[in-house]
């Protein structure tokens, strides 16, 4: 190694007094890039309930022009993603499992009827087999059935594109279903071949058979065997990838999805709790970026599942609720705080508090939570009011909702939106409004900027008012300019690492940070930069993910003061627990450097330095069909601390992280 400039660092953990926020690093979740249906949602059947609701893009201008609350028209295509191979399929809306439900009626012709579902297709495609099947992992089928003068045999099967059967189970209807009542059938389909498949239902005989709520889930899904997971189900490998980040909170359900695009499209948490067959779909506003608006939210994954996941991974749940204002990029719709309809907006928030924290005997909403398998209350310490909203009307609405929340539970800390930009008049007005608020408050800032911006703003919070509101960096990402086709390069990851040293240094006033967006189905990318790529079989974290994982797993409880004058382009931070000290050094230059660390509180001995390093244009890759390729993996080296001193060689364009034991652990 050719040594570059040497610099000194003094990081004395015994002098640390400022506390690191216990929720500093977490997750931002939004159903974007088919993150949910086709991703987190383990049910691989597209339009599983024949309730598919899609955005009619021709109505976009009408929705933008809305100034009063009314239901925007949507495209109804309840048979979408179901292919009839034999017989006929009719979608009906009278006589379903619930009064609002649609269902499919299969009619036999010439002794047979066959319908097929290929799963969640890449954007702009139809009819491909994209359901991933693996030998040794059963696919568990659940389906609601009802006979309509049907007699005969029913089969469910998995079929590869060349016609090879990868799994098949014949079954008969229960007695009640033969008598014309809806009945739920559930059983495993053993998988005999690995590969992508279609799901098919075949009837042999005569008459008609009604089907609804078709679910096909891998038996090794997240929470398998846990009675709490009684409704929506998560895909295991995606959750394990999230868990590896050691996240301390999850913000959900967005994002622009929170506000919606107008016409009652704001996210309605009440549509996402309760038995799955009672949940109704809505169109996703990101369907605006899909040619045929093919982006429906099935709501199989909803608030019950989000709160459960937070419980499983030890995260604080941070729901973001609508403030009565649609996405201000897409619509002028606003329900003013003195409008009678605003009472519904406010009441929805209060009902959410009851659902999450209330006793089943005292609240019908809490009783619904208990019926799902969670009689104990969920924690609810934080509540975001609005997403990327701003301006006078927003402040008025926020104040009314905040007043109602305080009356129901004064311990809940509100989160105030600072709008979509990190500077400007609207941003400044938000902080001015925040300074006039009483009690604990967190302000939610968002920024998507160039790597150079992140480098130059690593000190953004050094001089912030520490007596005022705390900061939630609720959405951020560096947009790489090195590669023309892949935005998630090491250039952007390195810039984010430099910025995060400033976050750690100011983590007494920065309450939370979360990279955004979180998940990207590579066949349906609608946003350029994302933290985790995946396809039906494979999860491929980006290089930015590796930075997040490193920071999330090497963070202490106290900020350690750092005295240093590093060369330009070098960034340093340190934190400590009662028995460990963490030091991070980020070298964004194209020259190696040597850091001479003075760590008075660290014991003598050998310690591991973890390094992340790559060419600026390096990026992990994954296609919809491929297994993926990773270009970045952490490497470890040993260093020796003698008399509180250690030398660390930091290669060009790299991140070095030291974890060392404190000489005198604090009780």
């Amino acid at each position: 190694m050719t040594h570059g400039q040497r610099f000194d660092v003094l990081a004395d953990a015994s002098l640390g007094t400022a506390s690191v926020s216990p929720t500093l690093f977490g997750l931002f979740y939004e159903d974007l890039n088919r993150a949910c249906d086709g991703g987190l949602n383990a049910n691989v059947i597209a339009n599983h309930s024949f309730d598919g609701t899609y955005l009619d893009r021709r109505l976009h201008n009408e929705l933008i022009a809305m100034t009063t609350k009314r239901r925007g028209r949507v495209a109804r295509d309840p048979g979408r993603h179901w292919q009839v191979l034999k017989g006929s399929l009719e979608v009906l809306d009278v006589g379903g499992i619930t009064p609002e439900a649609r269902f499919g009626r299969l009619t036999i012709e010439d002794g047979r009827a066959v319908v097929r579902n290929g799963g969640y297709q890449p954007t702009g495609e139809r009819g491909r087999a994209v359901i991933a099947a693996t030998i040794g992992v059963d696919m568990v089928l659940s389906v609601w059935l009802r006979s309509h003068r049907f007699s005969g045999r029913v089969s469910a099967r998995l079929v590869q594109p060349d016609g090879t059967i990868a799994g098949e189970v014949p079954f008969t209807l229960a007695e009640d279903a033969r008598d014309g009542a809806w009945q739920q059938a559930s059983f495993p389909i053993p998988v005999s071949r690995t590969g992508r498949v279609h799901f098919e239902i075949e009837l042999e005989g005569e008459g008609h058979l009604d089907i609804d709520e078709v679910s096909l889930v891998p038996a090794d899904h997240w929470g398998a065997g846990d009675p709490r997971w009684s409704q929506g189900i998560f895909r295991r490998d995606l959750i394990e990838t999230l868990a590896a980040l050691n996240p301390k909170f999850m913000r959900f359900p967005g994002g622009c999805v929170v506000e919606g695009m107008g016409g009652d499209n704001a996210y309605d948490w009440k549509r996402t709790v309760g038995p799955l067959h009672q949940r109704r779909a809505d169109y996703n506003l990101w369907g605006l970026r899909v040619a045929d608006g093919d982006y429906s939210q099935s709501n199989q994954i909803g608030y019950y599942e989000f709160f459960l996941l937070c419980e499983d991974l030890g995260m604080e749940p941070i729901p973001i609720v609508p403030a009565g204002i649609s996405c201000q990029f897409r619509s002028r719709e606003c329900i003013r705080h003195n409008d009678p309809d605003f009472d519904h907006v406010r009441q929805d928030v209060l009902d959410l508090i009851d659902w999450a924290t209330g006793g089943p005997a005292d609240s019908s909403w809490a009783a619904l939570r208990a019926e799902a398998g969670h009689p104990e209350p969920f924690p609810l310490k934080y509540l975001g009011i609005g997403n990327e909203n701003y301006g006078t009307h927003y402040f008025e609405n926020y104040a009314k909702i905040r007043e109602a929340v305080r009356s129901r539970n004064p311990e809940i800390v509100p989160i105030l939106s600072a709008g979509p930009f990190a500077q400007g008049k609207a941003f400044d007005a938000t902080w001015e409004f925040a300074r006039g608020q009483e009690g604990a408050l967190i302000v939610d800032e968002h920024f998507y900027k160039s790597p150079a911006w992140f480098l130059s703003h690593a000190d953004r919070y050094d001089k912030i008012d520490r007596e005022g509101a705390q900061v939630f960096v609720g959405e951020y990402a560096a947009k790489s300019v090195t590669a023309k086709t892949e935005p998630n390069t090491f250039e952007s990851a390195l810039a984010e690492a430099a910025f995060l040293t400033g976050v750690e240094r100011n983590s007494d006033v920065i309450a939370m940070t979360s990279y955004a967006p979180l998940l990207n189905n590579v066949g349906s990318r609608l946003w350029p930069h994302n933290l985790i790529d995946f396809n039906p079989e494979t999860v491929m974290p980006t290089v930015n993910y590796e930075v997040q994982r490193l920071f999330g797993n090497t963070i202490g409880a106290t900020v350690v003061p750092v005295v240093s004058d590093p060369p330009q382009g070098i960034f340093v931070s340190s934190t400590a627990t009662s028995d460990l000290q963490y030091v991070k050094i980020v070298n964004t230059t194209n020259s190696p450097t040597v850091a001479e660390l003075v760590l008075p509180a660290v014991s003598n001995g050998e310690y591991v330095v973890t390094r992340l390093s790559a060419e600026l244009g390096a990026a992990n890759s994954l296609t919809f069909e491929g297994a993926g390729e990773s270009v970045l993996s952490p490497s470890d080296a040993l260093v020796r601390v003698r008399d509180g001193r250690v030398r660390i060689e930091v290669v060009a364009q790299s991140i070095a992280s030291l974890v060392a034991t404190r000489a005198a652990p604090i009780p």
Side-chain angles (χ1 to χ4, degrees), residues 418 420-428 446-447 449 453 457 460:
F421 303 114
Q423 68 285 318
K425 292 182 178 180
F427 179 85
D428 293 341
H446 296 180
F447 32 85
K449 300 287 188 177
W453 185 93
H457 285 77
R460 177 179 174 89

Side-chain angles (χ1 to χ4, degrees), residues 299-365:
N299 288 327
Q300 294 171 84
I301 300 297
Y303 265 44
Y304 181 67
E305 289 72 33
F306 295 142
F307 273 82
L308 269 185
L309 182 62
C310 289
E311 184 170 88
D312 281 4
L313 300 191
M315 302 183 293
E316 292 289 349
I318 304 182
I320 310 296
V321 297
I325 303 172
S326 292
C327 177
Q328 289 169 263
F329 280 115
R330 297 173 172 88
S331 172
R332 296 199 304 269
E333 178 179 305
C334 175
I335 306 173
R336 297 287 303 277
H337 70 284
N338 53 4
D339 188 308
D341 282 346
F342 190 76
D343 290 341
H344 297 292
V345 176
R346 183 169 46 193
Q347 188 61 48
D348 281 347
V349 178
L350 297 179
D351 290 343
L352 170 60
I353 296 172
D354 287 347
W355 174 85
T357 67
D362 304 319
S363 165
S364 60
W365 288 109

